[in-house]
Amino acid sequence: MRVAKGRTEDCNRAQAHVRLNQARAFLDVAELVESEENDLSTEQVSAALAVLAGIAAADAACCAALGSRSRGQDHRQALVLVAQAGSDGKAMSRALSQLLDLKDNAHYGMVFVSPGQVKKAVRQARILVAGASKLLTDQS
């Protein structure tokens, strides 16, 4: 097993379930907001929630598969850990990377997120939530 660079924190399956439930809630709301057709700000909110869903799902996957999660200031430090989280780890790491590319603009930006970026963000969050769910189901 490769060792990730950056700070990590030990975690367990119970904590993985908590983070997965949070990820699902963020994703559910992201999808709900994405379906709203009132103004451009909802697209930014949906993208921001998709990013939060992906980060929470990445934590869940790492806790389930590795017993630790990234706790560094830079979320990108988690990419190495997520890639090691089971057979879907590399796909989850790519999905997280794409979400993190959008994070600053979605959370703090003054430029609106495009509808295409929102759809992609929600799709990437789904990949992470599904991967984490699979890890927790396979190990039950």
Side-chain angles (χ1 to χ4, degrees):
M1 180 187 326
R2 289 190 340 230
V3 177
K5 292 185 170 110
R7 203 174 88 205
T8 60
E9 174 181 74
D10 290 342
C11 51
N12 58 38
R13 291 184 58 72
Q15 291 163 322
H17 281 286
V18 168
R19 288 300 278 157
L20 180 58
N21 287 338
Q22 292 169 343
R24 287 178 176 146
F26 285 133
L27 182 57
D28 287 347
V29 178
E31 291 171 335
L32 179 66
V33 171
E34 179 188 18
S35 69
E36 291 293 315
E37 294 187 27
N38 55 9
D39 66 30
L40 291 174
S41 66
T42 60
E43 290 167 343
Q44 196 150 351
V45 170
S46 182
L49 289 164
V51 170
L52 292 173
I55 292 169
D59 283 351
C62 289
C63 289
L66 307 172
S68 66
R69 66 183 184 142
S70 178
R71 293 297 292 153
Q73 291 276 354
D74 181 1
H75 288 293
R76 291 195 177 280
Q77 292 174 347
L79 296 175
V80 173
L81 276 178
V82 174
Q84 299 172 55
S87 61
D88 295 330
K90 287 189 170 115
M92 289 190 297
S93 182
R94 282 190 302 273
L96 181 60
S97 179
Q98 291 179 27
L99 285 170
L100 294 176
D101 287 345
L102 185 62
K103 180 184 182 296
D104 281 348
N105 195 31
H107 286 183
Y108 316 113
M110 298 302 289
V111 177
F112 287 106
V113 177
S114 74
Q117 288 174 306
V118 174
K119 287 187 185 319
K120 183 177 179 181
V122 169
R123 193 170 49 247
Q124 301 312 315
R126 285 183 190 133
I127 289 168
L128 282 149
V129 169
S133 297
K134 180 179 172 189
L135 282 168
L136 282 162
T137 302
D138 288 351
Q139 296 174 358
S140 293

